[in-house]
Amino acid sequence: MQAIKIENAYFSYEEGHPAVNDISLEINQGEYIAIVGKNGSGKSTIAKLINGLLLPKSGKVSVFGLDTSDKKQVFEIRKNVGMVFQNPDNQMVATIVEDDIVFGPENIGVPREEIAKRIEFALTATNNTAFRNRPSSELSGGQKQRVAIAGVLAIRPKILILDEATSMLDPKGRSEVNEVIRKLNKEEGITVITVTHYMEEALFADRVIVTNSGQIAFSGTPEQVFSREKDIEACGLCLPRAMYIANRLKEKNILDKNLKCYTAQELESALCELFVKI
């Protein structure tokens, strides 16, 4: 089932300088999409167009067939599309974790009995059950971002957009949040769109979309995209660190050129096997 359709969308913050220029894109329900690109490439603008926070100046964006430019449909679209931003503190409206999660469903008129079920679902799905009565000020960055995701999940969206949601977190916090995101996609069937400059995060996606100068430069599976190292570099990006190291070792004939090596774990395994042979 098609969840999102973008048709020849154009948007500019400043006249004559397009942030998004004639972009067309289709995303199916249940997909895990990673949008990557250097700063100013248009990736965050695409995310905001999907959510209806921005409207295309030309072209069309629709979510489950609903046109984002139709004011009558905005409320329904935003019930279906939840968005998590960089700084979790900017999304928290209450001092206690559970009260923060309650805020969204209460504001869209969810019945009290249903709210209780949604709180349990959101807390469990994001591994936040132990924090439900904790002051949010006592949580780590990764824990706060998980609470921010829980607050969005309590609305029960079909699509979850994360706009650089891990950029302010340390490696442990990023790992915690990414684990939750993958779980929501695989177990709950939620469509995930993550905007990120961490190439390692894009490895978990079904499809990677590379943006450059307001357009989609190319896209494909992580394997297809990251096999195009020169094209990646031309867009101002770099390969996942482990893959970059593996490629340099392949160039020097230290590793087999046909060896698939994308993650740190795969590189570690390849090196261990190599050392055993030496």
Side-chain angles (χ1 to χ4, degrees):
M1 178 183 179
Q2 188 182 82
I4 297 159
K5 187 173 185 179
I6 302 176
E7 303 171 79
N8 306 110
Y10 174 94
F11 181 86
S12 64
Y13 297 96
E14 182 182 349
E15 194 63 37
H17 297 84
V20 163
N21 190 7
D22 195 32
I23 277 184
S24 294
L25 174 65
E26 294 183 11
I27 297 173
N28 293 322
Q29 177 65 28
E31 274 196 286
Y32 187 155
I33 302 292
I35 304 178
V36 300
K38 64 182 180 181
N39 290 340
S41 65
K43 58 187 187 298
S44 289
T45 301
I46 294 172
K48 291 171 184 173
L49 286 169
I50 293 171
N51 185 252
L53 289 174
L54 298 175
L55 300 178
K57 296 190 175 182
S58 65
K60 182 180 178 180
V61 179
S62 55
V63 178
F64 296 113
L66 304 176
D67 189 339
T68 60
S69 64
D70 185 346
K71 292 182 180 179
K72 295 179 181 178
Q73 306 289 359
V74 171
F75 182 72
E76 190 62 29
I77 288 170
R78 289 184 182 164
K79 281 171 61 179
N80 282 314
V81 185
M83 198 157 182
V84 181
F85 297 95
Q86 278 185 339
N87 191 341
D89 289 323
N90 292 341
Q91 290 187 253
M92 292 187 171
V93 296
T95 56
I96 302 299
V97 167
E98 184 171 322
D99 293 341
D100 193 82
I101 296 171
V102 165
F103 181 80
E106 280 187 342
N107 271 271
I108 62 173
V110 176
R112 186 171 295 276
E113 313 79 55
E114 176 64 19
I115 287 178
K117 295 177 184 177
R118 293 192 182 194
I119 291 171
E120 291 302 324
F121 163 74
L123 287 169
T124 302
T126 56
N127 300 323
N128 276 317
T129 305
F131 305 131
R132 68 186 305 157
N133 297 315
R134 289 266 298 275
S136 56
S137 60
E138 294 181 1
L139 304 182
S140 68
Q143 290 164 347
K144 286 181 179 179
Q145 197 61 287
R146 280 160 41 200
V147 171
I149 294 172
V152 171
L153 289 180
I155 302 173
R156 294 308 296 260
K158 295 178 182 177
I159 301 167
L160 179 64
I161 300 177
L162 301 109
D163 187 8
E164 303 279 11
T166 63
S167 64
M168 296 181 67
L169 305 180
D170 60 21
K172 182 176 184 294
R174 283 201 299 275
S175 177
E176 290 175 351
V177 170
N178 284 317
E179 184 178 343
V180 167
I181 294 167
R182 294 196 296 272
K183 176 183 175 184
L184 292 170
N185 174 250
K186 299 303 180 187
E187 297 182 11
E188 302 295 335
I190 293 175
T191 304
V192 171
I193 302 169
T194 181
V195 174
T196 182
H197 60 265
Y198 290 108
M199 298 301 104
E200 286 77 10
E201 294 181 1
L203 289 171
F204 300 109
D206 298 317
R207 186 158 44 118
V208 180
I209 296 167
V210 182
T211 58
N212 191 36
S213 300
Q215 296 184 314
I216 294 175
F218 55 99
S219 64
T221 64
E223 183 175 350
Q224 290 169 338
V225 166
F226 292 124
S227 67
R228 300 172 62 171
E229 184 171 359
K230 289 185 178 179
D231 293 330
I232 287 284
E233 290 176 349
C235 292
L237 301 172
C238 57
L239 294 179
R241 190 180 300 258
M243 190 174 181
Y244 177 84
I245 293 171
N247 283 358
R248 303 293 77 80
L249 292 173
K250 289 177 184 179
E251 288 173 355
K252 295 183 180 298
N253 295 317
I254 295 173
L255 288 180
D256 186 335
K257 293 186 185 299
N258 296 317
L259 181 68
K260 291 182 179 180
C261 199
Y262 299 102
T263 67
Q265 291 78 11
E266 289 171 340
L267 178 60
E268 179 185 6
S269 177
L271 291 175
C272 285
E273 289 184 19
L274 182 65
F275 292 148
V276 168
K277 295 177 182 177
I278 295 176

